[in-house]
Amino acid sequence: MLEQVAKGRTAFGARGIIEALPAKADGTLDEAAVDDTLIGAHLELQRLSSEFRQGPRLRETLAPIFASLRAAGSKTLRLIDLGCGVGYALRWLAAHRALPDDVELIGADFNPALLGLARAAAEAEGLPVRFVEADALKVAAEAPSGAVVISTGAIHHFRGESLARLLETTSRSAAACVHVDIKPSWVAPMGAWLFHQARMRVPLARHDGLVSALRAHTARTLLDAARAAAPAWSFGVLDGRVGLLPIVRIMHSLVGVRAELAGDVEARMGRLARRLWPSGGLSS
Amino acid sequence: MNDEVLAFGVGLLVVLDGGFAGYRARAGRFARIRRLGHDLRAVARGGFIGLFTFAIAVSLALALSGGALFDVSSREAAARILWVAGGYAVLVIAAFVPFLTGSPDLRSLTTVVVFGPLTLLRPALIIGACVYAAWGQSGRVMAAVAVGGALVLMQDAVLDRLARREPRL
């Protein structure tokens, strides 16, 4: 594996990061070291999420959505975090009782090491969050009428066909989605580099910060993909507008709901709805 | 500015810097959401290391001067450090007002515009302050400033090593 990496093309020092990881005698990476590096990087990302107030921002978006789902008669309310990592978003929401108690919080990821820490952290603080090694959309599909799928910093990993497939499957498996990610702008790559140099110690986290800023989807890309994949839903990109100096709101969120819920969700969002790009509301 | 105020001011800056370094060393290494107690302990540990650093620097200055903490040269050096590092500290502390009381947007802006860049600038600022303080002073003062500056910069490494050993939960 290491030989393949060394021969291949990598960007922004990725090769060096992988080569620095301990290898076993058979040439494969040491799984424990990889897990430890991933956990370290995710904890640094957790710090960044905390500094950028991801928790309160999610709360102000999710609370009206769940209120609307409840009003529409959904019995089982579920929030599923796709690619939850160490589960910061859900644990924050639980610790601050940001959503009604009957909203079930489920984190889904495929990495057992990250899930292990997420579970241990939730248990240590007595937080009612469940973490599962599973496909988030399959979990949502168990009770689609009350399921909301979220992700933080993950949607730029889905590109082209896989982005379309994700959004299309979401529209069949859930009632709403909120995908939070870095907002691309002229300042984002430079800002991400500077910020990750200042804040991050783990080389993988520094690398990921810059590459994520470069790979992040524009609001237009997200909106076009969403509308094509889920015509029965209404979408808007919260804070999708890129101003002259985009340093206050450096993240944007693709917000989507089933079309019949759009008016009610918008009304419950109040002034927040005005920040939905492009129309100041959710539209098909 | 009298000698006691000068010494207290420089000492306070070193302890404050240690406190922030202690916080930084544990930031991004602790998984819990409720972390106030943990963060306060990290700040206290950093402040203690800062106090220890200051004590070493004062002992060194006293040893080099034969018992007198300040003469004309060292007094000027200390005042220069106080102006440069003090200005930096005032900026950082002032930024906590919007960070702790503002809206999520204001808090994010403070992080992006103030805390992030200032953290990145800190080593250069310490070196710059030391060079400015030592400029044109006696050899004894230059040596004391150089050692003091190096000790302050080393606080990060010491605290980082300590922080790495602590559990994630």
Side-chain angles (χ1 to χ4, degrees), chain A residues 36 39 43-44 46-47 51-53 57 88 91 120-121 124-125 127 194-195 198-199 201 247-249, chain B residues 24-25 27-34 104-105 107-109 111-113 115-116 119-120 160 168-169:
Chain A
D36 194 63
I39 288 174
L43 286 181
E44 295 205 327
Q46 170 170 321
R47 177 202 184 180
E51 287 192 342
F52 288 125
R53 313 294 294 153
R57 289 179 197 276
Y88 172 73
R91 289 188 291 115
E125 292 188 273
L127 302 174
L194 187 141
F195 214 83
R199 283 286 190 265
R201 287 172 290 259
I247 54 171
V248 179
R249 292 170 184 156
Chain B
R24 281 197 305 274
R29 284 184 162 138
F30 190 61
R32 293 194 187 210
I33 303 295
R34 302 182 190 102
D105 283 348
R107 292 181 65 141
S108 296
L109 186 66
T111 299
V112 171
V113 174
F115 291 137
T119 306
L120 204 58
D160 190 65
R168 285 169 165 155
L169 282 172

Side-chain angles (χ1 to χ4, degrees), chain B:
Chain B
M1 199 181 293
N2 64 39
D3 288 357
E4 288 77 17
V5 173
L6 209 52
F8 178 77
V10 174
L12 184 64
L13 284 177
V14 177
V15 171
L16 263 178
D17 186 69
F20 283 121
Y23 172 81
R24 281 197 305 274
R26 279 299 291 166
R29 284 184 162 138
F30 190 61
R32 293 194 187 210
I33 303 295
R34 302 182 190 102
R35 48 180 302 144
L36 182 62
H38 164 272
D39 288 351
L40 289 176
R41 280 194 299 279
V43 169
R45 176 163 64 186
F48 179 76
I49 296 281
L51 197 60
F52 187 63
T53 302
F54 184 61
I56 295 173
V58 168
S59 306
L60 180 75
L62 289 170
L64 286 173
S65 68
L69 185 55
F70 288 121
D71 59 15
V72 175
S73 181
S74 58
R75 191 174 294 116
E76 192 179 337
R80 287 179 183 179
I81 286 174
L82 205 56
W83 279 114
V84 177
Y88 176 86
V90 166
L91 203 60
V92 172
I93 291 166
F96 272 94
V97 176
F99 185 76
L100 293 177
T101 62
S103 65
D105 283 348
L106 195 56
R107 292 181 65 141
S108 296
L109 186 66
T110 311
T111 299
V112 171
V113 174
V114 186
F115 291 137
L118 286 188
T119 306
L120 204 58
L121 279 176
R122 179 183 159 273
L125 186 121
I126 291 170
I127 293 167
C130 288
V131 169
Y132 174 54
W135 197 265
Q137 310 299 344
S138 66
R140 177 181 70 80
V141 171
M142 281 187 187
V145 168
V147 173
L151 285 172
V152 169
L153 286 171
M154 277 168 58
Q155 286 185 148
D156 277 311
V158 171
L159 286 161
D160 190 65
R161 282 184 78 90
L162 293 172
R164 236 184 287 167
R165 293 182 198 160
E166 287 197 21
R168 285 169 165 155
L169 282 172

